[in-house]
Amino acid sequence: MAEQVIWSLTKRKSKTENIVPNPTLVEVHEWVQPSHCHHLQHDNNMLQHGQLLRWMDITACLSAERHAKHPCVTVSVDDISFDRTVSVGHVVILRAVVNRAFTSSLEVGLSVESEDPLTGKREHVCKAYSVFVAKPKDGSKVKLPPVALNSEEENREYLLAAERRRMRTTYAKDMQRVVKSLHLDDDEAANSPVAKKVKVSETQVHTINIVLPVHANHHGTTFGGQIMEWMTDVATISAMYVEFY
């Protein structure tokens, strides 16, 4: 049975609320195949997080472009914590919606669940926030329309989006101050006696990836989700070296 990709862009009224669902809502179902899973002996039946990040980026971009009516590119993704892994044969359900549009950028909220198709049981996997920027094909400036709010939840996320945006803009400056004030001699972990330490150089991994058509999006270029997948693969290999040594 071939992998199925289904997205729901319905405008029918909700059964629980007498309102029209957010028009930027995108729902994608991905059936986890063995090719999407780790090739490690102890993890060979579990979905690779890099593959999941790729699906998340594509879903979020669909939502962003549906609102912007222009091509959109990924700018950033907030920290993500995965509550659980997803087994082969299960279905990953991704939902994305635009929380707020600024002048040319948008914040998209993502929620991910896994479903066992044999029992119908669903479990939460993760939640994330992505930022996209609209890039008109003619290079002109764009001013995005505001998002229509139809529920208390949408209004809450709209207000929180402004605070998250403020935190993103100050994060780089805050980290610069932390680095300047950091005293390496005070690092207890670095100076503590242990039986064996792994040199940083022994965990370094370098890869070269040729961008092929399969790595491109609908604009013909590589995209944030693909790059995140490559980054996750390299990080996984690097972490394995710590266990190896």
Side-chain angles (χ1 to χ4, degrees):
M1 184 175 182
E3 175 185 353
Q4 296 180 356
V5 180
I6 309 166
W7 60 85
S8 173
L9 303 177
T10 178
K11 290 188 177 181
R12 292 179 299 174
K13 288 190 176 182
S14 170
K15 294 181 180 179
T16 57
E17 296 181 84
N18 190 28
I19 59 172
V20 176
N22 191 313
T24 69
L25 174 64
V26 174
E27 182 173 304
V28 175
H29 293 205
E30 294 281 0
W31 191 25
V32 180
Q33 303 292 308
S35 60
H36 300 141
C37 297
H38 286 285
H39 299 294
L40 306 177
Q41 183 176 358
H42 62 284
D43 256 349
N44 57 3
N45 289 320
M46 297 299 175
L47 173 66
Q48 295 184 67
H49 286 141
Q51 178 64 62
L52 179 55
L53 289 171
R54 191 178 194 273
W55 287 340
M56 291 170 65
D57 187 65
I58 292 173
T59 305
C61 187
L62 282 169
S63 178
E65 292 191 351
R66 192 158 193 245
H67 179 80
K69 300 296 188 293
H70 291 289
C72 292
V73 296
T74 310
V75 174
S76 67
V77 180
D78 290 356
D79 293 343
I80 304 175
S81 295
F82 298 99
D83 291 347
R84 57 181 41 82
T85 56
V86 183
S87 301
V88 65
H90 285 199
V91 177
V92 176
I93 302 169
L94 307 100
R95 294 188 186 89
V97 65
V98 175
N99 291 329
R100 186 163 183 163
F102 300 93
T103 304
S104 61
S105 64
L106 314 89
E107 182 193 90
V108 179
L110 280 152
S111 64
V112 181
E113 292 181 310
S114 67
E115 178 184 302
D116 184 340
L118 301 182
T119 65
K121 180 181 178 181
R122 292 190 179 188
E123 294 181 305
H124 177 76
V125 176
C126 68
K127 186 176 182 178
Y129 297 97
S130 298
V131 177
F132 290 82
V133 168
K135 295 283 187 179
K137 293 182 179 180
D138 59 3
S140 61
K141 292 184 178 180
V142 62
K143 182 175 176 59
L144 299 175
V147 175
L149 305 176
N150 298 317
S151 68
E152 291 184 4
E153 176 65 17
E154 290 180 2
N155 186 66
R156 185 178 73 89
E157 289 295 339
Y158 175 87
L159 297 174
L160 289 173
E163 181 62 19
R164 286 189 289 262
R165 187 183 191 221
R166 184 195 65 78
M167 294 172 65
R168 294 184 194 105
T169 57
T170 59
Y171 176 78
K173 294 180 180 179
D174 291 341
M175 286 304 300
Q176 288 177 357
R177 287 195 293 268
V178 170
V179 171
K180 289 180 180 179
S181 62
L182 187 65
H183 298 287
L184 297 180
D185 294 338
D186 296 335
D187 189 347
E188 296 182 3
N191 296 306
S192 62
V194 294
K196 185 177 181 181
K197 293 183 180 180
V198 179
K199 295 180 180 179
V200 173
S201 59
E202 294 174 339
T203 67
Q204 290 181 350
V205 178
H206 301 273
T207 65
I208 298 176
N209 293 289
I210 300 176
V211 179
L212 301 174
V214 69
H215 302 136
N217 59 13
H218 52 299
H219 304 307
T221 60
T222 191
F223 58 102
Q226 180 60 66
I227 294 172
M228 285 189 285
E229 182 179 14
W230 286 335
M231 292 170 63
T232 303
D233 291 343
V234 172
T236 301
I237 297 171
S238 179
M240 289 173 58
Y241 281 128
V242 176
E243 181 179 356
F244 174 78
Y245 283 106

